[in-house]
Amino acid sequence: MSEEKLMSKKKPAYPISKELDEYLDYYNRKIEIPIHYEDLLRFSGSVAVYDAEDEDTLWVRVYYAEYDRDEIDLALKRVYSIFVSDGSDTILQYLNVDYVDYCTFGNSKPFRIKVRNILNDNYTLLYVKKTDASRVYGLELEHMLSPYNLNFVIYENTLIEEHIVGIPGDVFIKKNLPELSEFDKAQIAKEFVKFNERSMIRLLGDMRSYNYVVVPTHDFDSVVYKIRAIDFDQQCYEGKLKVYRPQFFKENKVMVDMVQNKLKLDSVNQYIVEERSIIAKRILSWGQRLSALLEACRKDVISTPENIELLKAQLLELTGDINFRDSKNMGEILTYALDFVKRNYEDVSMKQIIEKKF
């Protein structure tokens, strides 16, 4: 746990490079949609959105002038059809846009759209954001290297993302965690160790408790808890290695304390090796697609020279891998980080972990 200020400057948004654009096109992440992020900024007023306990969520519910509303509603319904269905207009008559919310804080300032099926009241939440290369790399890496698949598309300067379901980490820590059994707390401690390792390996930063969710899943007579990231703006930007390790943010202190109280050091080391080995296997399984993404990243500018120099020096000190010393940009640092994991952990088996032969 660290009290030092880990992040001092706001990260700028980076444009989509030619190489990244070609990658997105080849792997069907680019789809023409009938609305842009800037179109949603034409709202004429807003009201604050409060949660069930009457606390300000820092989101505002926006509304549009009558001559804009019909056009925007229709465009958002078509976005839904393109995003989750076959893109035809046949389902539009069954859809309703319940609300459009706008986030007033953070880097991406997203819009949150609730689209509801009027026949059965089932709904889907979509997020509309301005494109940022950092976030796109983060989304793709999450799709390939985490246990979860992500649905998102890009059109020109607009990014559409599907909502990631789960209990926000800060809410879970405050409201849910105190009521759990000691067994459940030990399980969550294990998941936090794995989440911490996964974030560091793929250089995803700023995983404070409000940037990840806890996902409970019922399994026979128990509940299984998983932790997954929901914010990807800080992919490969910061220079301090601690930024890429959730354990160093004060917002995660309860989780860190729980790891220390519930897990022995041998167990922590076992879970770290397990996560590294499964990521190594994912690196191999995604093969050509991951290589294409890393190639685009190596040709891109997504950080500052100062951050690059600091991060590669700290990774060199941590791993002893001299490849980091010669890295010229964040893309090369990320490539060598994943290559280090692949070289050292792709052949690790559960038998080796149990017998401590790793």
Side-chain angles (χ1 to χ4, degrees):
M1 208 54 210
S2 175
E3 290 299 322
E4 66 178 290
K5 191 170 184 180
L6 296 182
M7 302 166 63
S8 58
K9 296 181 180 179
K10 183 177 179 180
K11 188 194 82 68
Y14 289 96
I16 302 295
S17 67
K18 176 178 175 292
E19 289 78 13
L20 180 56
D21 184 73
E22 291 174 350
Y23 167 91
L24 295 169
D25 190 33
Y26 185 81
Y27 287 102
N28 299 314
R29 292 296 198 186
K30 286 181 64 179
I31 298 176
E32 185 174 347
I33 55 176
I35 197 168
H36 291 78
Y37 176 87
E38 285 75 11
D39 295 327
L40 296 177
L41 291 172
R42 304 199 315 251
F43 57 86
S44 57
S46 65
V47 294
V49 176
Y50 295 88
D51 63 18
E53 297 182 352
D54 208 31
E55 294 182 4
D56 192 347
T57 63
L58 302 181
W59 288 78
V60 295
R61 188 145 298 164
V62 303
Y63 53 89
Y64 298 87
E66 187 174 349
Y67 55 84
D68 273 338
R69 180 71 204 197
D70 290 343
E71 176 189 343
I72 288 174
D73 270 15
L74 180 59
L76 290 173
K77 291 176 186 178
R78 284 182 170 147
V79 166
Y80 173 91
S81 178
I82 293 168
F83 195 65
V84 304
S85 186
D86 61 356
S88 69
D89 288 350
T90 55
I91 66 171
L92 299 187
Q93 60 183 315
Y94 307 119
L95 302 178
N96 186 70
V97 178
D98 280 4
Y99 60 69
V100 178
D101 289 346
Y102 178 59
C103 184
T104 57
F105 67 96
N107 284 332
S108 57
K109 289 188 167 53
F111 285 92
R112 180 175 60 199
I113 321 296
K114 180 181 179 181
V115 182
R116 178 172 54 89
N117 186 312
I118 61 176
L119 297 179
N120 52 35
D121 281 341
N122 286 328
Y123 67 88
T124 298
L125 293 176
L126 304 177
Y127 291 86
V128 181
K129 306 175 181 181
K130 294 183 71 173
T131 54
D132 174 11
S134 300
R135 187 172 187 87
V136 173
Y137 285 118
L139 287 164
E140 276 292 290
L141 288 167
E142 180 76 2
H143 181 72
M144 287 186 263
L145 301 183
S146 83
Y148 314 102
N149 292 329
L150 294 181
N151 189 14
F152 72 93
V153 296
I154 288 184
Y155 177 57
E156 296 181 353
N157 66 338
T158 300
L159 169 66
I160 311 287
E161 293 178 34
E162 194 170 37
H163 175 65
I164 295 174
V165 176
I167 305 170
D170 54 342
V171 175
F172 183 87
I173 289 170
K174 179 181 178 182
K175 297 182 179 180
N176 301 77
L177 191 58
E179 307 299 322
L180 297 184
S181 67
E182 298 307 306
F183 172 81
D184 286 338
K185 290 179 180 178
Q187 183 197 149
I188 293 169
K190 166 189 171 182
E191 288 303 315
F192 186 79
V193 170
K194 292 195 166 193
F195 177 67
N196 188 75
E197 195 64 20
R198 191 160 65 241
S199 298
M200 185 189 72
I201 288 172
R202 44 79 62 93
L203 300 180
L204 176 63
D206 197 21
M207 283 298 104
R208 304 171 216 252
S209 58
Y210 47 76
N211 286 335
Y212 60 80
V213 293
V214 179
V215 185
T217 304
H218 289 268
D219 182 31
F220 295 104
D221 59 349
S222 63
V223 179
V224 177
Y225 296 89
K226 299 293 183 181
I227 299 175
R228 60 180 300 189
I230 60 172
D231 191 299
F232 306 96
D233 292 338
Q234 288 286 342
Q235 178 67 51
C236 293
Y237 174 73
E238 294 288 342
K240 294 179 181 177
L241 183 58
K242 287 182 177 180
V243 173
Y244 302 104
R245 307 184 80 173
Q247 71 187 77
F248 288 108
F249 288 99
K250 65 180 186 298
E251 292 85 353
N252 296 327
K253 185 178 187 305
V254 172
M255 291 292 206
V256 175
D257 290 344
M258 192 163 60
V259 170
Q260 294 174 338
N261 294 332
K262 297 296 179 184
L263 303 180
K264 294 181 180 179
L265 182 59
D266 284 350
S267 294
V268 171
N269 290 334
Q270 173 189 330
Y271 297 143
I272 287 173
V273 173
E274 286 179 8
E275 192 62 26
R276 291 179 181 177
S277 63
I278 198 167
I279 287 178
K281 292 175 176 63
R282 290 188 187 117
I283 291 170
L284 292 170
S285 68
W286 281 98
Q288 184 176 351
R289 179 165 178 169
L290 180 58
S291 296
L293 182 70
L294 294 175
E295 183 178 357
C297 194
R298 288 193 297 271
K299 297 177 181 177
D300 213 339
V301 176
I302 53 173
S303 188
T304 65
E306 297 79 15
N307 286 348
I308 293 166
E309 290 301 315
L310 178 58
L311 182 60
K312 74 180 190 181
Q314 292 186 356
L315 282 170
L316 174 62
E317 182 180 358
L318 175 69
T319 64
D321 188 337
I322 60 172
N323 285 317
F324 290 114
R325 184 186 61 196
D326 301 321
S327 301
K328 300 180 183 65
N329 54 47
M330 281 295 185
E332 291 190 3
I333 293 175
L334 175 63
T335 299
Y336 291 133
L338 297 182
D339 187 58
F340 178 86
V341 171
K342 184 176 69 173
R343 289 198 317 270
N344 288 280
Y345 295 96
E346 64 180 294
D347 293 325
V348 171
S349 66
M350 282 304 301
K351 183 178 178 181
Q352 289 172 301
I353 292 171
I354 293 169
E355 296 177 354
K356 296 186 178 180
K357 294 180 179 179
F358 49 82

